Amino acid sequence: MRFKEDTYTAVPLWSQYRDQFPVTERLIYLNHAAVAPLCRAASDAMKRLADDACLYGSYHYSDWVDAYQALRVAAARLIHAQPEEIAIVKNTSEGIATIALGIDWRPGDKVIGFEEEFPANYYPWQRLESQGVRVEWLSTSDPLERIEEVCRGARLLSISFVQYLSGFRTDLNAIGEICRRHNCFFFVDAIQGLGAFPIHVEAAHIDALAADGHKWMLGPEGCGILYVRKSRQDEIEPVEFGYTNVAATDYSVRDTTLRGDASRYEPGTLNTIGIFGLRAALEFILEVGVEHIAPQVQSIADQIAEGAVRKGYELLGTRTPQSGSGIVSIRKSNQDARALFKHLKEQGIVVAPRSGWIRTSPHFYISPEDVDRFLSVLP
């Protein structure tokens, strides 16, 4: 399905792959920051697994095991890691909790968090305060100099790649360099950017990263990835323990030595059908190329932002080529966001009401004409 490189300049990316998203036949879907529609590849893979399990049970179990490893390989390629650094988790929250609860915290340790975070990347760090851990809260608008100042003596810094409401895209390389200089564990909640914008865990000195598959990675709910740098795995104990955390494969052996890779964080039976779907989705994204997806997502979101401003809407935050993402949140004074959400839904346009804002989040297959239609419907 891969097109030649020069095709990208001749045919718009959204046009090349639009047939891989049947949702476009029914809706204008601007809600990938909530739950994305499955790409065709993910849907087909899950259907095949469901049919096979119905007809054969676990007769083809070896194919399931191959799919687990294939997902780790695809996820590793996506973030420039190694497959042995990838664990399969239920969701981003589980990945964050694995890090937050798995570290041997000591009273007086300092964690850096950010006020604007989604609760999944806020509550786990906040709860550490009951163990005597000091959490210093910054704002994503704080300059790098302020982050560096606070990072001195910190044990861990946690931030989202893309903020869930403002859409602010973090300069991971800059913050990672700060963390490296101060020997501070660098954790990234990547759910609102992974699949739409590139992440290079080595270049950014990221120690751990979590992301669910059901947003920008175009996969199903209930299946995500947790990256833990190989050199950091012995610092993080599994918080859930079952038969698959250990290296022993003989069930009569009572040796609890952990597996030698990130699969030590997988405590039991995995979400096989979700893994089939997420593997297919990631392989599809890798085929298209995140380097091609990112500028298209940025462009289509810019079109929304500029068109909304022309109609008198306020933008949350400031978009720049460096900090913009696929998320654009808008509002107008004296306008009820939920009423507008309902109005748009009745027109077949899917967005999300969030904290008084209308949050839009288009992916790369959304056309400029789709956005024009959305803008024409905005009151």
Side-chain angles (χ1 to χ4, degrees), residues 177-230:
E177 178 58 28
I178 290 171
C179 289
R180 185 196 64 78
R181 286 199 297 268
H182 296 286
N183 194 30
C184 177
F185 191 106
F186 184 26
F187 176 82
V188 175
D189 175 350
I191 192 170
Q192 290 293 8
L194 187 57
F197 290 89
I199 291 183
H200 196 305
V201 294
E202 290 298 328
H205 307 291
I206 296 170
D207 293 302
L209 170 155
D212 204 335
H214 70 268
K215 298 184 189 290
W216 301 93
M217 289 191 280
L218 303 170
E221 288 195 303
C223 189
I225 63 165
L226 169 66
Y227 157 80
V228 183
R229 182 179 293 277
K230 179 67 174 175

Side-chain angles (χ1 to χ4, degrees), residues 245-268:
N245 298 88
V246 302
T249 56
D250 182 343
Y251 299 157
S252 66
V253 173
R254 297 298 183 253
D255 182 356
T256 59
T257 302
L258 293 173
R259 290 182 178 182
D261 58 21
S263 66
R264 65 177 63 189
Y265 305 114
E266 301 168 2

Side-chain angles (χ1 to χ4, degrees), residues 68-80 83 86 225 278-284 286:
Y68 304 157
Q69 184 60 16
L71 173 55
R72 297 186 187 103
V73 169
R77 284 182 58 199
L78 189 62
I79 63 173
H80 301 275
I86 303 294
I225 63 165
L278 185 54
R279 169 201 178 177
L282 292 192
E283 290 176 348
F284 170 70
L286 289 166

